[in-house]
Amino acid sequence: MLEKLKRFNYVMFFSMLVLIAIGTIAIHSAGNARTEEVFHNMWVNNLTTAVFGLAVYLAIAFTNYRKILDFLALPGYVGAIVMLVAVLIFGSTIYGGRRWLWFFQPSEISKLAVISLMAWLFGAQSERPRTNFKWFMYSLALIGLPAALILAEPDLGTTLTLIPACIVILFVAGVWRRGLMTLILASVIAAGAVLSAVWEAEKPGVSEERRAAILKYVPLKAHQVKRVRVFLFPEEDQLGAGYNLRQALISIGSGGMTGKGIGKGETNHLKYLPQAISMNDFIFCVWAEETGFIGSLTLLLLFGAIVVPGCWTAFFATDVSGRLLAIGVSTLIFAHVYVNIAMSIGLVPITGLPLPFISSGRTFLVTVMAALGLVQSVSVHREENIR
């Protein structure tokens, strides 16, 4: 046990705890700004969820990740697929998306399930060559099925974080890198084509007939087109479709160097910042207004103190499964942080995506803590017998 404690990554662990504390404070501020009394105690729910998540984290961290993958990777993946199908049939529709199955979000669990399956699969087949077309197509099928189900909810934000994590795993695993590079290039070209089409359809002066003719070939729903339009033309319709982004930028910018003080964010408490998403998607805006540039930079450094040690753990892993597990989870957390903050400052189109450890959300918090527990397990158990 003493040897395990020596290999325990305390920087990653305490950074996670500080981020959870910051998230609880930010949720308290965002909840108090809402008129519904039920949201005033959401910070308590977040804290109790974090306590449960911490128990899960420690249990996973001190259990050999190889045993966890052997027993749970395949059943977890199958279970995730079943839940994703179930949510499309029986799930609750909230804010235009069918993402909730009773009290949890299967899409959040599915991200960890996909990463775990890929780490287990490539680790178990580490002696076989994986540079051929067969492995490439096999991998795409394993990733594509849950990704397609998540997109059908629709939940574009979750897909935008799952895909980069899986691509990094495939690259590190050595799965036909020429095919991977071709796929990435094709995706970039396709994304550029979609942005160009929306720009051409939504630019000022375009007739309704031409707009409809162009958007007919764009694989986006109406609300997604609206978000891309706001991204491309941020100065247009600032009291309508562009209102959320405008208020997010005002909230972040008004924080200045040191912020207005905890609980004193005017944009938030005067309800200019969209209340429906201030506790989750726009939680960074709440924190930035109250703590300013210094608080925002501190937040980024704390996330760096999780992602960098996670990549370091992957580098020193003694087997393929541990390496892929650590790099996959680290990439997933990085993607969440990047997309969430980037959409708040207008660098990417706005999409529903929580900020790890900060946003309100029980399923997401427990899942990301469990994922980080697996990375910690790789650090603690890397020198033990492989299987």
Side-chain angles (χ1 to χ4, degrees):
M1 187 63 178
L2 183 61
E3 289 299 318
K4 292 181 180 180
L5 291 175
K6 289 180 179 179
R7 293 192 293 269
F8 193 86
N9 195 313
Y10 293 97
V11 172
M12 191 163 52
F13 176 67
F14 286 112
S15 296
M16 179 189 73
L17 294 183
V18 175
L19 283 170
I20 292 173
I22 289 175
T24 303
I25 294 170
I27 291 170
H28 180 269
S29 294
N32 281 344
R34 299 191 64 162
T35 54
E36 304 93 333
E37 190 171 347
V38 65
F39 293 105
H40 296 176
N41 292 322
M42 286 296 290
W43 68 274
V44 178
N45 295 336
N46 186 78
L47 201 57
T48 55
T49 302
V51 172
F52 173 76
L54 183 60
V56 173
Y57 173 93
L58 292 174
I60 293 175
F62 288 103
T63 302
N64 193 317
Y65 63 94
R66 302 176 184 95
K67 295 180 180 179
I68 296 175
L69 293 180
D70 285 341
F71 284 102
L72 294 179
L74 185 57
Y77 178 85
V78 174
I81 297 299
V82 171
M83 289 188 293
L84 288 174
V85 173
V87 79
L88 294 177
I89 301 174
F90 307 108
S92 303
T93 301
I94 300 176
Y95 298 128
R98 191 181 291 270
R99 304 170 187 174
W100 287 87
L101 189 62
W102 298 298
F103 58 88
F104 65 95
Q105 290 180 278
S107 59
E108 299 296 349
I109 300 173
S110 67
K111 290 181 290 188
L112 182 55
V114 173
I115 291 173
S116 298
L117 178 72
M118 296 178 68
W120 171 76
L121 179 64
F122 291 127
Q125 305 292 329
S126 59
E127 300 302 322
R128 296 185 180 183
R130 299 184 296 273
T131 58
N132 55 34
F133 180 75
K134 176 184 175 181
W135 270 97
F136 178 69
M137 296 305 297
Y138 186 37
S139 302
L140 291 188
L142 290 175
I143 300 167
L145 178 57
L149 292 172
I150 293 171
L151 277 175
E153 293 182 0
D155 190 351
L156 179 61
T158 295
T159 309
L160 289 176
T161 58
L162 175 62
I163 297 301
C166 291
I167 288 177
V168 171
I169 288 176
L170 294 179
F171 186 83
V172 173
V175 177
W176 199 35
R177 289 174 179 170
R178 182 179 298 178
L180 278 177
M181 296 306 296
T182 302
L183 179 63
I184 293 172
L185 180 60
S187 300
V188 171
I189 293 174
V194 170
L195 288 175
S196 298
V198 175
W199 183 86
E200 182 64 28
E202 298 289 345
K203 67 182 181 181
V206 175
S207 65
E208 188 60 34
E209 292 77 11
R210 178 170 173 75
R211 177 181 180 276
I214 295 174
L215 293 181
K216 181 171 62 175
Y217 299 99
V218 175
L220 296 176
K221 297 184 180 296
H223 73 279
Q224 294 171 333
V225 171
K226 185 180 295 185
R227 290 176 177 178
V228 174
R229 181 179 183 274
V230 171
F231 169 69
L232 294 172
F233 306 101
E235 300 301 321
E236 299 289 332
D237 197 17
Q238 294 189 3
L239 296 179
Y243 179 83
N244 287 1
L245 177 59
R246 176 178 173 81
Q247 295 306 319
L249 292 173
I250 291 174
S251 180
I252 294 171
S254 64
M257 181 60 69
T258 59
K260 300 175 180 177
I262 300 297
K264 298 179 180 179
E266 295 171 352
T267 307
N268 176 39
H269 283 275
L270 292 177
K271 299 179 175 57
Y272 290 113
L273 190 67
Q275 298 297 292
I277 53 179
S278 63
M279 299 178 66
N280 35 63
D281 300 346
F282 276 4
I283 195 73
F284 175 74
C285 304
V286 175
W287 180 254
E289 182 180 16
E290 295 184 353
T291 64
F293 175 78
I294 293 177
S296 301
L297 180 61
T298 301
L299 198 68
L300 292 176
L301 291 175
L302 287 168
F303 279 121
I306 288 178
V307 173
V308 174
C311 295
W312 192 258
T313 300
F315 183 80
F316 284 100
T318 55
D319 66 333
V320 175
S321 291
R323 183 175 302 113
L324 298 182
L325 194 58
I327 197 66
V329 171
S330 299
T331 305
L332 180 69
I333 292 176
F334 173 82
H336 260 279
V337 174
Y338 174 80
V339 174
N340 178 276
I341 295 179
M343 74 175 183
S344 299
I345 58 179
L347 292 181
V348 300
I350 292 177
T351 182
L353 194 71
L355 188 60
F357 311 110
I358 308 298
S359 295
S360 174
R362 293 182 175 182
T363 307
F364 180 63
L365 180 57
V366 174
T367 301
V368 76
M369 292 181 75
L372 210 55
L374 284 170
V375 178
Q376 191 69 261
S377 178
V378 176
S379 178
V380 170
H381 299 279
R382 65 176 181 266
E383 296 181 8
E384 295 181 10
N385 293 331
I386 293 181
R387 278 187 175 85

